Amino acid sequence: MYQFYTLSNGLRIGAEVMPQVKSVTAGFFIRAGGMTETAEQNGISHFVEHMLFKGTERRSACQLVQAIDRTGGTLNAFTSDEYTCVYVKTLDRQIETAVDVLCDMLFHSRLAAEDIALEKKVIGEEISLYEDSPEELVGDLLSSRTWGDCPAGRPILGTLESVNRLNREELAGYLERFYHPENMVFAIAGSFTLSHVISLLEKRMKEKFPPWLPSFPPCPMVFHSGISYQEKEAEQTQLALGLEGVSRMDPELYPLLAVNTVFGGSMSSRLFQKIREEKGLAYSIGSYPICHEASGLLVISAGVSPENTRQTVELMLQEIELLRQEGLSREEIESSKEQLAGGYLLGLESTSSRMSHLGKGMLLEGGVKTQEEILSLIDGITPEAAERVIQRVFTPDAFSLAVAGAVDEWIKAQGESWSE
């Protein structure tokens, strides 16, 4: 059962007690990510996330991680398009240390000039490593091709130029603007008592915060078709084909999840069976939805030899058209619903997944769906709903395509080079 509480400073707390475990996962979810950045500050959310680990008024960078390492736990963070998460997983008896370290990082970061200069080098290496990996690069290519110059089309890491332009004043201003209790959620799952967690947070967050006024840059998401490619020295070609999907609040989200399960979401899917098992064109092939607040994307990805590029893309489009013409059988829909429910229930065994479900639901969706509500949404998927989402999303005449690695001449003949 979920429990909720709001501190006097506006911090929302979401909790789920799991008495059968001896661990706890706790984290702060902050509404700060790629979509809250201006073009000039591209990469600042990710940079701030890094700086949280560089030391506070009480602890050095090494002491921060040592405090959690000594408990046998893990301290980590990540940045996405729409939010940043900083979290700890540890034994339940170490909850005080977990809360203390998290609050220290988020609200007392030093942002020392020497650390900022050093971290620019570290993130520069991360960007270079990312750009050298066609598997990673193709995702950014697809986002840029699909969403253009809106924040969703920019890389989370930023560019070397945008990162190197950042200074301490900008980082401090970004922290003050977005790392405010009213713009974040504290989610926790595992073995604990909520009253104890509330007491710990009130003790660690005594400082006064200025009034917070929501101020997010506009992010119009307009789908753009077309092909972009970037050549990299590699043996394989990485493909990512995008179809305009649905937002995370769209009533057709769950029907899309069911359709995707049959289409490309598993090893038994149509794409996997046709392109890998029957044709032998790819080792990895599949599809998955990406859902934002305003829109979404259905991505079909594959890794192939350059000479198999054209045939693979054509087969992808053929499978899209076949799905559009024939739809799904009742047996396929029922099987996909069972697969969705099973995957969801298996994920509930992890304190980390439950913590993440709580945090994202509260921060991005205005509420958290219960287990019963989610299973009901899955069970309620009808053949009619599946057909509607097929006709809406699976449109072979309107798609974006990104290609990275070894690029076939066929792609070059009709695509747009990323370097242009």
Side-chain angles (χ1 to χ4, degrees):
M1 184 178 70
Y2 300 138
Q3 302 176 69
F4 303 100
Y5 187 87
T6 302
L7 297 184
S8 59
N9 60 22
L11 177 71
R12 291 164 289 161
I13 301 170
E16 184 177 10
V17 176
M18 303 168 62
Q20 72 275 19
V21 302
K22 293 294 183 183
S23 65
V24 64
T25 303
F28 280 93
F29 289 75
I30 305 96
R31 191 67 182 265
M35 290 188 175
T36 61
E37 301 172 352
T38 63
E40 294 73 26
Q41 291 186 322
N42 181 212
I44 192 172
S45 302
H46 175 255
F47 200 106
V48 164
E49 175 217 312
H50 273 234
M51 293 306 300
L52 299 179
F53 288 80
K54 302 305 291 184
T56 70
E57 299 163 9
R58 295 169 47 207
R59 295 179 173 98
S60 67
C62 184
Q63 288 170 334
L64 281 173
V65 293
Q66 279 182 342
I68 301 302
D69 284 348
R70 287 169 179 166
T71 72
T74 57
L75 171 65
N76 212 337
F78 61 88
T79 304
S80 72
D81 281 324
E82 296 182 292
Y83 68 96
T84 299
C85 177
V86 187
Y87 66 95
V88 169
K89 181 170 185 177
T90 189
L91 294 173
D92 53 3
R93 64 174 182 263
Q94 300 291 346
I95 183 63
E96 291 190 26
T97 300
V99 172
D100 184 41
V101 168
L102 287 172
C103 289
D104 200 20
M105 293 172 64
L106 266 69
F107 306 114
H108 303 284
S109 179
R110 290 194 312 142
L111 297 180
E114 62 271 20
D115 293 331
I116 293 171
L118 182 64
E119 209 58 25
K120 286 183 178 181
K121 296 180 181 179
V122 172
I123 293 177
E125 292 298 320
E126 185 178 1
I127 292 173
S128 296
L129 180 66
Y130 196 89
E131 291 180 345
D132 282 343
S133 170
E135 296 92 336
E136 302 289 349
L137 177 61
V138 74
D140 279 350
L141 283 172
L142 183 65
S143 294
S144 179
R145 175 73 266 176
T146 304
W147 304 122
D149 193 39
C150 97
R154 302 179 197 132
I156 294 293
L157 301 184
T159 64
L160 291 174
E161 293 75 21
S162 66
V163 168
N164 283 324
R165 282 198 304 264
L166 296 174
N167 55 51
R168 189 185 189 283
E169 183 180 5
E170 288 179 290
L171 296 173
Y174 198 80
L175 269 172
E176 183 177 353
R177 180 180 175 191
F178 292 107
Y179 280 63
H180 190 286
E182 293 186 51
N183 192 44
M184 59 176 63
V185 163
F186 182 83
I188 182 167
S191 177
F192 62 93
T193 59
L194 180 56
S195 59
H196 185 214
V197 171
I198 291 171
S199 176
L200 291 173
L201 287 168
E202 286 178 335
K203 180 180 178 182
R204 300 306 193 278
M205 298 176 66
K206 288 182 177 179
E207 61 266 29
K208 290 187 178 296
F209 293 88
W212 186 74
L213 298 175
S215 176
F216 299 101
C219 184
M221 298 185 71
V222 178
F223 185 91
H224 299 283
S225 299
I227 300 174
S228 292
Y229 68 87
Q230 184 168 353
E231 285 194 278
K232 287 287 181 181
E233 187 174 342
E235 296 297 321
Q236 269 207 326
T237 302
Q238 297 299 320
L239 306 172
L241 186 148
L243 302 170
E244 186 169 11
V246 304
S247 74
R248 61 171 175 271
M249 302 301 289
D250 195 296
E252 292 187 337
L253 171 60
Y254 281 85
L256 177 59
L257 294 177
V259 172
N260 180 68
T261 298
V262 177
F263 179 71
S266 67
M267 292 178 66
S268 62
S269 69
R270 295 182 179 187
L271 281 177
F272 193 93
Q273 291 299 311
K274 171 64 74 173
I275 293 177
R276 172 172 160 155
E277 297 300 285
E278 182 181 326
K279 299 294 185 181
L281 295 174
Y283 174 76
S284 62
I285 175 71
S287 62
Y288 55 91
I290 300 174
C291 300
H292 297 300
E293 182 176 22
S295 187
L297 194 63
L298 184 78
V299 180
I300 305 169
S301 63
V304 301
S305 297
E307 63 271 17
N308 293 333
T309 300
R310 180 172 184 173
Q311 187 180 2
T312 302
V313 172
E314 289 175 345
L315 283 172
M316 289 177 177
L317 296 174
Q318 288 173 21
E319 287 299 315
I320 292 171
E321 182 60 39
L322 188 65
L323 178 66
R324 189 175 179 85
Q325 291 178 3
E326 299 182 356
L328 301 183
S329 68
R330 187 171 293 274
E331 291 74 21
E332 285 177 314
I333 293 173
E334 292 304 313
S335 176
S336 68
K337 287 161 63 173
E338 186 67 25
Q339 191 171 338
L340 283 175
Y344 168 68
L345 291 171
L346 287 172
L348 293 179
E349 297 184 4
S350 161
T351 59
S352 299
S353 65
R354 293 200 183 199
M355 182 274 298
S356 181
H357 175 66
L358 268 169
K360 289 191 289 186
M362 293 176 68
L363 187 74
L364 303 178
E365 299 174 14
V368 183
K369 293 182 179 68
T370 65
Q371 176 180 325
E372 292 74 21
E373 288 172 330
I374 290 177
L375 292 176
S376 178
L377 286 167
I378 294 173
D379 187 56
I381 298 168
T382 64
E384 293 76 18
E387 179 60 21
R388 283 196 303 271
V389 85
I390 287 171
Q391 296 304 318
R392 173 183 172 184
V393 172
F394 292 83
T395 53
D397 56 342
F399 64 90
S400 55
L401 178 65
V403 181
V407 180
D408 184 71
E409 292 300 321
W410 176 71
I411 291 291
K412 293 180 182 179
Q414 53 198 305
E416 176 183 334
S417 174
W418 179 255
S419 60
E420 290 179 353

